[in-house]
Amino acid sequence: METRSLSSADRDLIDRASETVADCVDHEKFGGAHIVASTLRTASGAMYDGVSVPASIGRASGCGEPVAIGSAIADGEDEFDAIAAVSYPMPEHDAEEIQLIPPCGVCREMIVDYGEDIDVIIPREGDAVKVRAEDLLPVRPW
């Protein structure tokens, strides 16, 4: 998988997602709600945030990435440039600070549905890099 270095605009996505998760985390709800935040940059340069939304019925829960994409679509945007997600450190996690995380498998599929060439910012060997969304899905026959 080809990885590329981040631009300052890419680093801004991580910073904004980190601010969002710090502002939105709810330690009381479900033992920790809104612990993942995602920021999406559109082709126009606009940025949209989303947070994970847990539910008492797990199937109804949602990740931060689809919330960010939905927010952009609701605002009339339909061309996406890059996306990043971060996780808030919870007591049961090994992390002690907000950290960049890769999208889960379902989110990878959904991101590709909205643009194979969207840059996804992920952690790799202790650094942050960007990859094409499609490259996160080694086999996708559809």
Side-chain angles (χ1 to χ4, degrees):
M1 169 172 48
E2 178 188 345
T3 63
R4 290 168 284 129
S5 298
L6 301 187
S7 66
S8 62
D10 295 329
R11 293 207 178 275
D12 289 346
L13 285 176
I14 299 169
D15 292 343
R16 181 160 163 165
S18 296
E19 291 171 12
T20 299
V21 79
D23 290 343
C24 294
V25 68
D26 182 342
H27 295 282
E28 304 302 317
K29 191 171 198 72
F30 301 118
H34 321 303
I35 63 169
V36 172
S38 180
T39 300
L40 171 75
R41 185 177 59 239
T42 66
S44 72
M47 290 196 282
Y48 293 88
D49 304 310
V51 296
S52 56
V53 286
S56 59
I57 299 173
R59 185 169 172 240
S61 298
C63 297
E65 295 92 334
V67 175
I69 289 173
S71 294
I73 291 168
D75 203 31
E77 299 275 3
D78 63 0
E79 293 182 26
F80 309 126
D81 182 48
I83 193 165
V86 299
S87 178
Y88 191 87
M90 298 300 289
E92 63 273 11
H93 296 171
D94 290 334
E96 294 182 13
E97 58 188 36
I98 294 170
Q99 63 181 350
L100 178 67
I101 59 171
C104 73
V106 172
C107 286
R108 291 174 191 206
E109 292 282 353
M110 190 228 33
I111 292 166
V112 169
D113 287 343
Y114 285 90
E116 296 172 359
D117 292 325
I118 295 171
D119 286 328
V120 181
I121 300 170
I122 61 169
R124 183 89 185 249
E125 299 174 2
D127 199 10
V129 297
K130 60 185 172 184
V131 298
R132 286 180 65 240
E134 187 175 52
D135 291 344
L136 292 174
L137 299 172
V139 178
R140 189 172 200 246
W142 54 93

